[in-house]
Amino acid sequence: LRKELDRDGSISEKSAMAATKEMREFTTTESALAFANETNTEAPIKLAEHLVENGHLDSSSTIAVLSSSISKYTNPYNIDIYPGPWLYYPVGRSKAEGAHKLKALSEKLEATFIDFVAPYITGTEVGDFFVGFEPVFEALHKIESKDKFKFPTVSTGHVANVILSEIRK
């Protein structure tokens, strides 16, 4: 898609549909999902449960997660309503499930739950990585919409303030 965008200045609907089909077939396999599930679902829950067991998470705690604008609108239990793009499915699905489970834990503890929503944190390597995809996502957005395309971000300062307030505990 990037080559087509560079060559033609746009991405055709036919190319977008073919790439979507191919990417969906690959990213929904168990092997494609395994690492993302371990990283974004299982590890945060195991860590949170360990902190609860050792008295480090309670009703005075804040549990914060960083969701992307995609994972925030993803139902991890229903693939049919995944908003795309399929390149991001393993990460989006697993982050959505991890956030869902951490929110349930925070409710059980009566703790505060914060879900930062941004595809990237400005000024980070991950942010720089996603900036490279922005022209492709914008071109794909233009296929079906006349609305202006914009990636939301969250500042490193906002995330750091929550982390620092939790470290004090």
Side-chain angles (χ1 to χ4, degrees):
L1 294 177
R2 174 61 146 223
K3 289 177 185 177
E4 183 176 337
L5 176 61
D6 291 345
R7 183 186 67 235
D8 302 337
S10 64
I11 297 172
S12 72
E13 185 173 353
K14 181 180 178 184
S15 295
M17 296 300 284
T20 297
K21 182 177 185 269
E22 184 178 331
M23 191 61 68
R24 179 179 173 153
E25 288 171 359
F26 171 74
T27 60
T28 57
T29 64
E30 190 58 39
S31 62
L33 294 169
F35 182 69
N37 288 339
E38 289 173 5
T39 303
N40 295 320
T41 305
E42 296 168 25
I45 290 299
K46 286 179 181 176
L47 176 60
E49 289 170 347
H50 175 77
L51 292 171
V52 169
E53 290 169 9
N54 289 286
H56 298 293
L57 277 181
D58 57 30
S59 62
S60 69
S61 299
T62 299
I63 297 173
V65 298
L66 178 64
S67 292
S68 67
S69 54
I70 297 166
S71 65
K72 179 64 178 173
Y73 300 103
T74 296
N75 181 332
Y77 312 108
N78 186 348
I79 192 171
D80 294 328
I81 60 172
Y82 177 67
W86 287 100
L87 165 71
Y88 191 76
Y89 181 73
V91 176
R93 197 218 63 75
S94 62
K95 285 179 76 64
E97 184 176 9
H100 178 262
K101 288 182 174 185
L102 287 172
K103 182 179 181 187
L105 177 64
S106 69
E107 289 170 354
K108 179 179 174 183
L109 295 172
E110 298 181 350
T112 301
F113 179 76
I114 298 175
D115 192 352
F116 291 111
V117 179
Y120 58 88
I121 301 174
T122 56
T124 64
E125 287 183 27
V126 171
D128 295 341
F129 176 74
F130 274 99
V131 166
F133 286 106
E134 196 166 348
V136 174
F137 291 138
E138 182 175 12
L140 291 169
H141 177 76
K142 287 179 180 179
I143 292 172
E144 294 185 344
S145 178
K146 301 291 184 208
D147 296 337
K148 184 176 174 154
F149 177 80
K150 185 176 182 328
F151 262 158
T153 63
V154 64
S155 72
T156 53
H158 194 175
V159 175
N161 283 336
V162 171
I163 292 170
L164 289 173
S165 71
E166 288 307 297
I167 288 173
R168 288 186 198 112
K169 296 179 183 178

